[in-house]
Amino acid sequence: MKNKILVIILAMFLSLPAISWAVEETMPLADEQPAAEEVVDNTQQLDEDYASAVENIEQPDNPYKQPISKKKIVKKFLFAMFGVLASSLILYFGLTIYNRIREDFANRVKTPEGETPLQSPVDLEGAVKTFLDKTKW
C-alpha cells in the first residue's frame, strides 16, 4: 500500500514541468546602477522603433468581412443535418444488427416449458431448483 502511494506521488512530481531560474554570470554591484539618462534613451529608441513599425503596416482597403449569402448558409445547414441523419441511421442499423447477432449466439436460460421465469422463488427448495436449472447442474 505504501509503495502504491509513493509511486503515485512520484508520478505526480515527474509529470509537473521543471522550474528553473536563469542566473546572470555577473551581478551588478550597488554602485553600478544604470544611469537614468540611459534608461530614458532606451525608452525613446523603443518608442521610435514602435512608431516606425506601425507606419509600415499596410492597412487593407476593406477591413470588414463580406456578407455571406443565404444560399450558402442554407447549404451548410442542410449538409450538417444530412450528417446527423446519416450518423443516426448508421448507429440504428448497426445496433440492430448487433442485437440480432448477440441474441443468436447468447445462451438463453430457459425452464422446461421454454420460458425464463420472472418471479423469484419463495422458499429455499425453489431457489436451489432454480439455481440448478439455470446453471445446468
Side-chain angles (χ1 to χ4, degrees), residues 66-86:
Q66 295 295 324
I68 299 174
S69 68
K70 290 182 181 179
K71 287 183 181 180
K72 282 188 177 182
I73 293 173
V74 170
K75 186 177 177 182
K76 286 184 180 184
F77 177 76
L78 291 176
F79 185 69
M81 288 301 109
F82 176 74
V84 169
L85 177 69

Side-chain angles (χ1 to χ4, degrees), residues 85-95:
L85 177 69
S87 62
S88 298
L89 291 175
I90 289 170
L91 284 173
Y92 175 75
F93 290 116
L95 290 174

Side-chain angles (χ1 to χ4, degrees), residues 58-123:
E58 295 180 17
Q59 295 295 329
D61 295 337
N62 188 2
Y64 302 107
K65 293 174 67 173
Q66 295 295 324
I68 299 174
S69 68
K70 290 182 181 179
K71 287 183 181 180
K72 282 188 177 182
I73 293 173
V74 170
K75 186 177 177 182
K76 286 184 180 184
F77 177 76
L78 291 176
F79 185 69
M81 288 301 109
F82 176 74
V84 169
L85 177 69
S87 62
S88 298
L89 291 175
I90 289 170
L91 284 173
Y92 175 75
F93 290 116
L95 290 174
T96 303
I97 292 169
Y98 169 75
N99 284 333
R100 287 185 184 165
I101 291 172
R102 187 176 54 98
E103 287 177 1
D104 291 341
F105 289 116
N107 294 331
R108 296 183 188 169
V109 178
K110 294 184 179 181
T111 61
E113 294 85 28
E115 297 177 358
T116 304
L118 299 177
Q119 66 272 12
S120 60
V122 178
D123 57 349

Side-chain angles (χ1 to χ4, degrees), residues 27-35:
M27 298 294 288
L29 298 175
D31 58 342
E32 294 181 10
Q33 294 290 335

